[in-house]
Amino acid sequence: MQSELKFFNELVTKLLEKERSEPVVEPLPTSSVIADLDLGFSDEGMLEEDWQKVVENAVMHTPRTASKLFFNQLFGGRQPKAVIGDLLAVILNNSMYTYKVAGPQAGIETAIIKETCKLVGYTDGDGTMPPGGSMSNYMGLVMARDAKDNTVRYAGITKRMTLYTSNTSHYSTPKNAAFAGVGRDNIRYINNDDEGRMNPAHLEECIQKDIAQGHTPFYVNATAGTTVLGAFDDINALADVCQKYRLWLHVDGAYCGAVIFSEKYKHLTAGMERSDSFSFNAHKMLGTPLSSSVLVTKHKDQLVKSFSNEADYLYQTGDEDFDLGITSIQCGRRNDALKLWTLWKSVGNKGLEKIVDHQFYLADLAREYCENHPDYTLYSFPDSVSVCFNYKGIDPKHLCTKLYEDGNLMVGYGKFREQEFVRLVTINATNGKEEIEQFFKALELGA
Ligand SMILES: *Cc1c(COP(=O)(O)O)cnc(C)c1O
C-alpha cells in the first residue's frame, strides 16, 4: 500500500492546486471520452508508470465539484473533516450489518440516528443510513405501505393503495411507487401555492375522492426543501390531514432537512415531531462526501417489520441493538456514517448550525445582488438556498450550456409553472461573499 498511498498524496495535491487555478474543467465530448482517456481494457496489465498516467488523466479531466465555481447540483465544496472520515471508512472497509464486523462503526451510526431522532422529536425512534435520499424515501414508503396493510409483505398488494406528493416533489416518488408494487398511476400530484408549497386543501380533496372510490390512501410525502425552488411544505397543516385520515407522513428533507440543526431556520420544519418518518442528506447541506443519508422513524417496530429477515449465517452474536443489518435495505453495506461523525464530532451541533445558516446568508446575498442589478429577474423566495433568476432575458438553457461548454461556470436551470430560470444553489458552505460575487462576474462575462 505504501507506494500507492504516496501516489495518492501526490495526485491529490496536484488536483487541489488545479482546482484553485482552474475551477472548471473543459468538458470532453461523450463521443470521445473512452478513447481519449484510454478507459477501455486489454488482456495484459499496465506498467506502473503508465497506470499512474492513465489514472491521473481520468482524475484531472473529471468535473470539479468541490471548486468555487461549481453550483450545478445540490452538493458542493469539501468539508475536510468529513473527507478524512470517508477515506478512513474505505481503509477500514467494514460492512455495517453486524456489531461483530463493524464494532464501534455500528456505534457511530447508532449515535447519529439517536441524535437525529432527538432533534426531530421522535422520543423512541430508530433509523438507518440508506444509500441516498431516493432510497430513504423508498424505505419511508414501504413502511407506510406495510403499516397500512400488514399482509402485503407476504401476500403482495391486493387493494388499490393511493399516495400523495406535491407537483414539485422529487422524482424518486414515482420510481419508488413502482418498486413498491403500489404503481405510478396511484400517485396523486397535489397542487402548489405560489411559493411552491403543497396545498393542504387540495390534498384533502384528493384523499376524499379516493376514499369515495373505494381506494386505500396510505402515504403523504412532504418535502423540506423542494429540489428546484427549495420550498418547505407546511408540515403542521399536512399532519392535520394525515391524522384525520390515518395516513403515514414522510418528510423528504434530502435537500434542506438539515435545518433541524439551526435555531434560526428549524421553524421551516415546524411540526416535524408529528411526522412518521424523516430523512436528510448530509452530503447536501452538511457538505460530507456522497453519499450520507439518514432516515429516522417514530415507529421502531415498523422499521424492523418491514426490513428484517432471519439470517442465521449472518446474525450470530445476538447484539441486536447494534446489528444494523436488521433494519437496512441492503445486506453488505458501506459505512456512510463515519464521514458525518468525524465532521459532527469536530464542530459540534453548533458547528453544523453554522454550516446551515451560512448557506442561507449566501442565498440572501445572491438574492440581494439580483434585486440590485436591473439585468436580473428574480424568481426565488426568502428562506431558500435555491436562488432562481434570469439574466438579460437570455434563455437559461442556452446560458447554462454555454457557461459549461466554455469552461466558465457550472450552474443548472430549473422550472416552476412554465417559467424557466437559472438556479444558483448556495449549498457550498466553504464559499463566502467573494465567491458569490465571482459567480455573477463569471456568468456576466461568459453570457
Ligand atoms: C436530492 C434529493 C433527493 C434524492 O437524494 P439522492 O441522495 O440523490 O438519492 C430526494 N429528494 C429531494 C428533495 C432531493 O433534493
Side-chain angles (χ1 to χ4, degrees):
M1 276 292 286
Q2 291 309 324
S3 80
E4 280 81 4
L5 282 177
K6 185 166 167 278
F7 165 67
F8 175 84
N9 267 322
E10 286 166 4
L11 177 55
V12 169
T13 305
K14 211 183 276 185
L15 176 67
L16 295 185
E17 275 164 16
K18 205 73 178 159
E19 275 179 5
R20 276 191 294 273
S21 65
E22 219 178 281
V24 183
V25 278
E26 236 179 83
L28 280 169
T30 49
S31 54
S32 70
V33 65
I34 291 183
D36 284 3
L37 297 180
D38 186 18
L39 304 182
F41 304 103
S42 55
D43 288 341
E44 303 303 321
M46 295 183 94
L47 291 174
E48 177 66 16
E49 226 181 81
D50 297 338
W51 175 82
Q52 289 190 0
K53 200 71 221 155
V54 111
V55 172
E56 177 175 335
N57 248 334
V59 166
M60 293 315 238
H61 281 91
T62 298
R64 299 191 180 129
T65 64
S67 86
K68 58 189 177 191
L69 288 180
F70 180 85
F71 298 93
N72 206 69
Q73 250 89 32
L74 309 183
F75 66 96
R78 199 180 271 125
Q79 292 287 346
K81 289 288 191 293
V83 171
I84 294 303
D86 210 14
L87 291 173
L88 287 170
V90 170
I91 297 290
L92 287 167
N93 200 35
N94 301 99
S95 182
M96 298 298 271
Y97 40 37
T98 62
Y99 187 70
K100 191 178 178 188
V101 295
Q105 300 302 320
I108 281 169
E109 183 166 319
T110 302
I112 289 170
I113 285 162
K114 278 211 164 116
E115 189 66 21
T116 305
C117 284
K118 204 166 107 192
L119 289 166
V120 172
Y122 296 159
T123 40
D124 190 29
D126 197 4
T128 180
M129 294 188 71
S134 300
M135 281 297 113
S136 294
N137 292 346
Y138 179 62
M139 292 183 79
L141 193 151
V142 168
M143 285 190 286
R145 184 198 66 187
D146 297 347
K148 179 57 83 179
D149 182 352
N150 191 34
T151 66
V152 170
R153 288 185 294 138
Y154 293 92
I157 289 196
T158 51
K159 308 179 198 140
R160 177 170 267 220
M161 301 182 83
T162 53
L163 63 151
Y164 308 82
T165 191
S166 94
N167 266 325
T168 50
S169 62
H170 190 255
Y171 73 93
S172 51
T173 296
K175 293 203 308 183
N176 291 338
F179 299 162
V182 169
R184 290 172 192 245
D185 291 349
N186 295 316
I187 302 178
R188 310 291 178 247
Y189 290 100
I190 309 302
N191 294 338
N192 291 300
D193 67 12
D194 292 342
E195 298 194 3
R197 294 171 295 222
M198 201 197 299
N199 177 341
H202 186 224
L203 169 66
E204 183 160 12
E205 211 177 287
C206 291
I207 292 170
Q208 285 175 348
K209 214 156 114 193
D210 280 322
I211 292 174
Q213 301 204 322
H215 304 334
T216 307
F218 75 104
Y219 177 77
V220 173
N221 174 71
T223 310
T226 55
T227 308
V228 173
L229 283 182
F232 290 80
D233 287 338
D234 180 347
I235 297 175
N236 266 317
L238 301 179
D240 287 343
V241 178
C242 288
Q243 212 167 325
K244 187 164 164 192
Y245 297 94
R246 301 188 52 241
L247 309 192
W248 185 286
L249 178 60
H250 173 72
V251 180
D252 172 7
Y255 182 12
C256 299
V259 295
I260 58 171
F261 292 100
S262 165
E263 278 306 314
K264 190 168 171 197
Y265 293 99
K266 71 178 181 195
H267 70 90
L268 296 169
T269 55
M272 272 295 274
E273 68 288 349
R274 299 175 64 197
S275 66
D276 298 284
S277 54
F278 161 73
S279 57
F280 77 95
N281 279 352
H283 63 260
K284 287 187 172 169
M285 271 195 141
L286 299 184
T288 71
L290 285 149
S291 309
S292 184
S293 294
V294 181
L295 168 78
V296 288
T297 174
K298 176 187 274 181
H299 310 283
K300 205 175 178 145
D301 292 355
Q302 194 57 56
L303 185 67
V304 175
K305 268 192 208 153
S306 290
F307 293 100
S308 67
N309 210 76
E310 299 268 305
D312 292 339
Y313 53 83
L314 185 60
Y315 305 116
Q316 300 179 336
T317 57
D319 297 303
E320 286 210 350
D321 284 347
F322 290 90
D323 280 351
L324 305 182
I326 290 171
T327 49
S328 77
I329 204 164
Q330 307 108 297
C331 174
R333 189 164 61 102
R334 124 179 257 293
N335 181 354
D336 288 336
L338 184 56
K339 55 190 141 189
L340 173 54
W341 183 82
T342 45
L343 172 66
W344 196 342
K345 272 309 252 193
S346 161
V347 301
N349 292 18
K350 288 228 168 83
L352 297 186
E353 172 178 41
K354 241 190 220 158
I355 289 174
V356 170
D357 287 359
H358 188 64
Q359 293 163 42
F360 284 98
Y361 161 73
L362 295 178
D364 287 343
L365 287 180
R367 268 187 294 269
E368 233 172 76
Y369 185 96
C370 292
E371 280 163 353
N372 293 334
H373 290 75
D375 287 338
Y376 290 83
T377 322
L378 190 64
Y379 302 99
S380 124
F381 308 101
D383 287 343
S384 158
V385 295
S386 293
V387 182
C388 306
F389 64 83
N390 275 324
Y391 176 65
K392 288 189 172 170
I394 304 173
D395 176 61
K397 205 178 287 184
H398 288 159
L399 178 57
C400 294
T401 308
K402 181 169 191 305
L403 292 167
Y404 161 67
E405 283 174 351
D406 296 348
N408 289 317
L409 184 63
M410 286 189 75
V411 63
Y413 53 89
K415 192 172 158 183
F416 178 62
R417 292 189 175 163
E418 303 313 309
Q419 181 63 56
E420 286 207 326
F421 38 65
V422 178
R423 181 191 60 167
L424 159 64
V425 182
T426 58
I427 203 158
N428 178 355
T430 65
N431 279 341
K433 190 174 180 192
E434 203 179 308
E435 280 76 25
I436 297 302
E437 282 165 359
Q438 204 169 5
F439 165 86
F440 288 109
K441 215 175 280 166
L443 180 134
E444 288 160 17
L445 279 173

